[in-house]
Amino acid sequence: MKKLFLIIAGLALLSPDLQSQTITDYDGNIYNTVTIGNQVWMKENLKVTRYLNGVLIPNIVDNTQWSNVTTGAYCYSENNAITAATYGYLYNWFTINDTQKVCPTGWHIPTDVEWTNLGNILGGDAIAGGKMKETGTTHWLTPNTGATNESNFTALPGGSRYDWGGFGAVGGNANFWSSTELDTTYAHYRGLIYDYPLLSSASDYKRKGFSVRCLKDVSTQINENLNESPTEIYPNPAHQNIFINSKEAHTTHFYLYNVLGKLLIQNDLKPGKNEINLADFPSGVFVIMIQSELKTQSFKLIKN
């Protein structure tokens, strides 16, 4: 049976002189970027007022109007325009999901899986938040536990706007939308808090207002030449077992996620052939991430 491999090419770590590249949004705002592992992120929160096609995103001030809207909208933290320079804007999830797109060309709202990958790159969710938070208490409330910002993500606590329109947690929380919805009412996001080093994973009302960080696109390709791929996964589609033939010289790390970003399996892969049992999982689409010290590969897996 012919083996198909859908490979999201792992990006090598960029050299320090490429770490400070910038991008510009539709309004002309310029953002610094940061490379973390194989991912390139905005280093600042989004503050654009238009979609990529030039259509204005409504700035909703009124609490009742905010609570009832089911299309894209943004606001300032605490409805105070002065906060935008530091914290960017807060957007509801309908803005995130709009086909007109809010991130600059070549960038996108990160999926829940991509946020999970970031946490893994930074050593796991239990400590990743500390590595992402701006240090000190200029913007974060004391004690800003575990904040080292060694990733240079420089997360700032813009707080959130509740689904009923009120505001909260400026200085205490940084909440970032993912593009992954849980159901018709809720969508996934990531949160940081002033008194924990945790990168939390949760879901909340799509009507809430959270901060946004865009992630640089990674091109995908189908590769059928086994000699060009450092990792082989077969069969795909799979039934009960898959085999992973790692051509890496050292042990790598294997993660299996469902499409909502929930981690299902975590194992080490030795060089050569490894067998993974999928008998306990239902049919559907899954994401495999294989991580080494220098790169991360992502694969789409279909189980029949």
Side-chain angles (χ1 to χ4, degrees):
M1 178 180 178
K2 195 174 185 179
K3 305 178 181 104
L4 296 180
F5 302 92
L6 180 64
I7 299 176
I8 301 179
L11 297 177
L13 291 173
L14 297 182
S15 58
D17 62 324
L18 295 178
Q19 297 278 334
S20 59
Q21 291 182 336
T22 61
I23 57 169
T24 305
D25 67 23
Y26 188 93
D27 291 340
N29 298 305
I30 299 174
Y31 304 85
N32 292 307
T33 67
V34 59
T35 300
I36 306 173
N38 66 311
Q39 300 176 323
V40 183
W41 291 84
M42 277 185 174
K43 197 176 178 179
E44 302 152 45
N45 295 346
L46 190 67
K47 51 184 177 183
V48 71
T49 64
R50 295 176 183 267
Y51 295 108
L52 269 183
N53 59 4
V55 173
L56 277 169
I57 305 167
N59 177 11
I60 296 181
V61 175
D62 181 77
N63 288 353
T64 301
Q65 187 180 359
W66 180 273
S67 68
N68 290 324
V69 71
T70 56
T71 54
Y74 79 94
C75 62
Y76 309 116
S77 292
E78 299 182 329
N79 274 334
N80 183 353
I82 295 175
T83 65
T86 300
Y87 300 119
Y89 299 156
L90 302 176
Y91 299 87
N92 65 16
W93 190 82
F94 305 111
T95 311
I96 306 311
N97 194 48
D98 198 295
T99 57
Q100 298 175 98
K101 297 185 179 180
V102 70
C103 289
T105 301
W107 294 71
H108 64 278
I109 305 296
T111 65
D112 193 62
V113 169
E114 288 170 324
W115 278 112
T116 299
N117 290 352
L118 176 61
N120 290 333
I121 290 169
L122 296 178
D125 288 351
I127 59 173
K131 295 180 180 182
M132 295 165 62
K133 291 191 293 181
E134 180 192 63
T135 58
T137 54
T138 301
H139 299 109
W140 284 94
L141 296 176
T142 188
N144 198 11
T145 303
T148 66
N149 197 29
E150 60 190 87
S151 69
N152 286 319
F153 188 89
T154 317
L156 293 171
S160 60
R161 189 171 192 177
Y162 300 116
D163 56 299
W164 52 270
F167 293 88
V170 175
N173 291 70
N175 300 308
F176 301 99
W177 280 123
S178 84
S179 62
T180 306
E181 62 182 335
L182 177 64
D183 54 32
T184 57
T185 303
Y186 298 92
H188 293 283
Y189 75 97
R190 288 298 190 278
L192 309 174
I193 191 168
Y194 74 99
D195 56 352
Y196 286 97
L198 176 69
L199 172 63
S200 66
S201 174
S203 60
D204 215 326
Y205 289 109
K206 295 177 180 178
R207 295 193 304 275
K208 276 199 167 182
F210 288 155
S211 300
V212 167
R213 290 288 182 101
C214 298
L215 180 65
K216 191 173 184 179
D217 295 348
V218 178
S219 61
T220 61
Q221 61 181 342
I222 294 178
N223 185 349
E224 298 180 14
N225 187 337
L226 306 187
N227 293 324
E228 294 180 1
S229 175
T231 304
E232 302 171 6
I233 299 178
Y234 59 94
N236 189 8
H239 293 282
Q240 292 199 10
N241 297 317
I242 58 170
F243 298 92
I244 302 176
N245 186 17
S246 175
K247 297 182 180 180
E248 300 285 350
H250 304 287
T251 299
T252 55
H253 306 291
F254 166 85
Y255 306 90
L256 178 73
Y257 301 93
N258 64 18
V259 292
L260 298 179
K262 181 180 180 181
L263 180 62
L264 305 175
I265 301 177
Q266 178 177 345
N267 278 324
D268 289 337
L269 297 178
K270 297 179 179 180
K273 188 176 180 180
N274 300 261
E275 183 176 3
I276 306 294
N277 189 329
L278 303 178
D280 292 336
F281 299 108
S283 299
V285 178
F286 299 85
V287 175
I288 292 173
M289 186 179 77
I290 298 176
Q291 187 176 50
S292 67
E293 291 183 0
L294 296 180
K295 62 185 175 183
T296 300
Q297 295 175 276
S298 297
F299 299 82
K300 178 181 177 181
L301 173 71
I302 298 173
K303 181 176 184 292
N304 291 332

